[in-house]
Amino acid sequence: MSRLTPIAFETTDIDVMGAAEGRVAIIVTPDGKLDPAARRANRLTKGALARLVESERFSKVRSGQVISLAWPTGMAAEALDVLVLDRKAPAIELRKAGAALAKLKGDKPLCVMAGGNPKAAELALGIALRDYRFDRHKSTDDETPGQAGAVTIHHGKADEISAAAAPLLAVAEGAHMTRDLVNEPANVLTTTEFADRLAEMQALGLKVEVLEEDALEELGMRTLLSVGQGSASPSKVVVMQWDGGKDGDAPLALVGKGVVFDTGGISLKPAGGMEDMTMDMGGAGVVAGTMRALALRKARANVVGLVGLVENMPSGTATRPGDVITSMKGTTVEVINTDAEGRLVLCDVLWYAQERFKPAGMIDLATLTGAIIIGLGHDNAGVFSNDDALCNAFLKSAAAEGEGAWRMPLGKSYDELIKSRIADIKNTGGRPAGSITAAQFLARFVKDETPWIHLDIAGVASVKAETDFAPKGATGWGVAALNRLVQDKFETPE
Ligand code: BES
Ligand code: MN
Ligand code: ZN
């Protein structure tokens, strides 16, 4: 596991600013007001800040942006990062500002003079989220992030800010776990390695069970097993339980697609870009990261995470197009295209989750369709739901955390597209409404009484350009939104 950058909170001491190495960050309001730390920086730099504040550049700057002064006179630091921030800036703006500082910081130590800003913990979360590298397979880079680049946040009420930051940093640690899993290549992150990494979370107080193929066979999870049967890696379902709520309260169930590699199977994908399919376990990665965050901050809620771990490979034992498989629910599925495998994995895990846990709500996450990328690009995940209240609560959580999410329709009429001639349903509905027919397929395995959300995260789980909170690659999208949903809707009051 990559480690979070260590962040220390100290009671403000502006005397450290002159000698601090690496980078020093100060806060200036958009109207150019200097707090004591900024005034000290101005004095040390012989008026550089006063000149900045009067400059044309400054008149165009917006709250949340950073202007860096390189090699400032009178300071040991190699840069003075001037964070322009409204005193009443919303939390998400501080988080983005923290991320901007982390991006500039690289391996260098960073000293942030946060004054008395009441939301300074959000700066810490922004820094922790953005200060991420996946370098475990680089042989030349011997510096681990954070070791050289520790962060100190100076604040008038350091203890309060430190306490407020602890549950936020749990979210960052969860998101980092998700990214580590999603970035990991498939020769390393086999189904067995994935299950082992989840089992390690028992140390955090989670109950973790690994269901092996014989148990899955016994349960009748034939559609899930049919996806993994061409692979040398054994299929598994891992169940993670966090019992932080009232005894006997129905849990929230999080269900993740964990296809450790998706070749398409016998319906083989083209070679170009196939390497990206190491991220096809993104849904399971978000479930894992969210469970980690909840356990780390000891959430007062009952939440169960279930992931279906399989590898979709072509071989002599692989499922063929045309095969008919019976799911755990009993619904028979004609496999038209072995590349529409995610829904075959999820349908059995969804059914099992409901049969075993009778959840108060169920949310599945999956890198399910290329079609959702055509529809929404990389800015929003597709949100499908049978329950307006749960769905609206989730959309609100996602918006508050700066994670894009957009509701898509479900509807009986789409079922026409997945009718099968010889079985109950088929696993693809052709090109029209590709993401919706995938969701309609899943809906067949959701009980009427279960409030349910399906999140198609194919476009947001891993991206080629950096985002506000993550460098290129795995984003950890969803950990913060789900954590907030649990906090706002599923926790028992103290
Ligand atoms: N894992 C893919 C979806 C995907 C595509 C995720 C691009 C991330 C980036 C999924 O298993 C898949 O192959 N879906 C097919 C479904 C089709 C065969 C009905 C697709 O989207 O083309
Ligand atoms: Mn596929
Ligand atoms: Zn897939």
Side-chain angles (χ1 to χ4, degrees):
M1 264 278 292
S2 62
R3 222 156 53 84
L4 280 196
T5 307
I7 301 181
F9 298 88
E10 282 176 16
T11 307
T12 306
D13 176 6
I14 57 176
D15 289 337
V16 304
M17 292 172 64
E21 311 243 330
R23 308 182 76 97
V24 173
I26 53 162
I27 299 178
V28 174
T29 58
D31 57 3
K33 291 246 166 58
L34 306 188
D35 69 2
R39 284 203 296 274
R40 170 64 64 93
N42 191 45
R43 198 138 34 89
L44 289 167
T45 59
K46 301 197 173 24
L49 262 184
R51 290 173 60 206
L52 170 68
V53 164
E54 257 128 56
S55 69
E56 197 189 327
R57 166 116 189 254
F58 192 83
S59 69
K60 291 189 182 136
V61 80
R62 279 188 323 255
S63 180
Q65 293 182 327
V66 180
I67 299 174
S68 295
L69 307 183
W71 307 106
T73 310
M75 297 180 74
E78 60 183 65
L80 177 63
D81 292 325
V82 181
L83 180 49
V84 182
L85 206 57
D86 232 314
R87 225 172 260 114
K88 293 208 178 92
I92 197 76
E93 207 167 293
L94 273 94
R95 199 181 294 181
K96 285 182 187 165
L101 291 177
K103 184 186 169 188
L104 291 167
K105 127 187 202 308
D107 279 337
K108 296 292 176 340
L110 169 67
C111 173
V112 184
M113 307 303 295
N117 192 303
K119 298 189 189 112
E122 290 285 345
L123 279 175
L125 175 54
I127 293 169
L129 281 172
R130 184 60 180 75
D131 204 8
Y132 172 84
R133 283 201 299 195
F134 185 71
D135 56 6
R136 56 180 305 190
H137 301 296
K138 298 262 194 199
S139 60
T140 50
D141 200 346
D142 55 4
E143 297 261 291
T144 53
Q147 273 175 347
V151 175
T152 314
I153 296 181
H154 285 249
H155 194 280
K157 295 180 176 162
D159 290 346
E160 263 176 44
I161 297 304
S162 173
L168 298 182
L169 294 175
V171 173
E173 204 169 321
H176 280 217
M177 178 185 199
T178 302
R179 291 179 194 166
D180 283 351
L181 291 167
V182 171
N183 282 328
E184 198 70 273
N187 62 326
V188 177
L189 193 72
T190 59
T191 55
T192 301
E193 171 67 15
F194 201 147
D196 288 349
R197 291 195 194 181
L198 298 181
E200 278 172 23
M201 289 207 288
Q202 287 176 116
L204 303 177
L206 283 160
K207 269 191 245 159
V208 183
E209 267 166 82
V210 182
L211 308 182
E212 304 288 352
E213 278 181 353
D214 50 352
L216 302 179
E217 200 76 66
E218 192 73 29
L219 285 162
M221 292 203 201
R222 282 297 322 153
T223 56
L224 180 144
L225 287 165
S226 78
V227 176
Q229 74 189 32
S231 168
S233 291
S235 300
K236 295 170 198 274
V237 170
V238 181
V239 182
M240 296 162 269
Q241 283 176 262
W242 175 252
D243 299 320
K246 268 211 267 358
D247 246 5
D249 268 8
L252 169 69
L254 303 177
V255 174
K257 167 180 172 181
V259 176
V260 295
F261 194 76
D262 180 13
T263 64
I266 298 299
S267 314
L268 193 63
K269 286 181 182 295
M274 199 203 274
E275 69 281 6
D276 290 340
M277 285 302 119
T278 55
M279 54 75 101
D280 210 20
M281 32 53 66
V286 176
V287 172
T290 304
M291 297 307 293
R292 185 176 196 91
L294 295 174
L296 283 170
R297 70 169 183 84
K298 305 216 179 327
R300 300 172 61 85
N302 296 334
V303 182
V304 54
L306 303 102
V307 295
L309 306 180
V310 301
E311 185 178 40
N312 188 19
M313 295 289 262
S315 82
T317 59
T319 294
R320 292 157 289 253
D323 285 2
V324 174
I325 322 281
T326 304
S327 69
M328 179 181 174
K329 181 185 174 188
T331 303
T332 57
V333 182
E334 181 187 8
V335 177
I336 300 298
N337 188 321
T338 63
D339 197 11
E341 84 295 343
R343 63 201 78 179
L344 300 174
V345 174
L346 284 174
C347 71
D348 274 343
V349 185
L350 288 170
W351 193 252
Y352 176 72
Q354 293 166 96
E355 290 284 275
R356 178 166 168 194
F357 294 104
K358 315 220 163 356
M362 181 163 72
I363 302 179
D364 76 74
L365 296 104
T367 49
L368 201 62
T369 66
I372 203 70
I373 309 176
I374 303 303
L376 298 176
H378 300 287
D379 299 7
N380 285 288
V383 181
F384 301 81
S385 182
N386 64 358
D387 186 281
D388 290 348
L390 181 64
C391 186
N392 288 334
F394 177 77
L395 291 170
K396 208 172 139 198
S397 305
E401 300 292 332
E403 294 180 329
W406 196 263
R407 190 165 183 181
M408 302 281 289
L410 288 166
K412 283 235 166 315
S413 57
Y414 295 101
D415 285 341
E416 288 302 315
L417 298 168
I418 51 171
K419 273 193 174 149
S420 162
R421 182 175 59 84
I422 61 168
D424 296 337
I425 43 176
K426 55 185 180 179
N427 79 329
T428 65
R431 281 168 62 84
S435 303
I436 305 175
T437 52
Q440 285 299 135
F441 181 100
L442 298 179
R444 298 286 279 258
F445 299 87
V446 176
K447 298 182 182 185
D448 287 341
E449 67 267 24
T450 310
W452 161 68
I453 299 174
H454 157 56
L455 298 172
D456 193 334
I457 62 169
V460 296
S462 182
V463 294
K464 305 262 183 236
E466 64 174 321
T467 64
D468 283 343
F469 299 120
K472 288 176 193 172
T475 61
W477 183 98
V479 173
L482 289 169
N483 174 72
R484 177 177 287 259
L485 180 74
V486 169
Q487 190 170 307
D488 290 352
K489 294 289 168 193
F490 290 90
E491 290 202 29
T492 52
E494 287 201 40

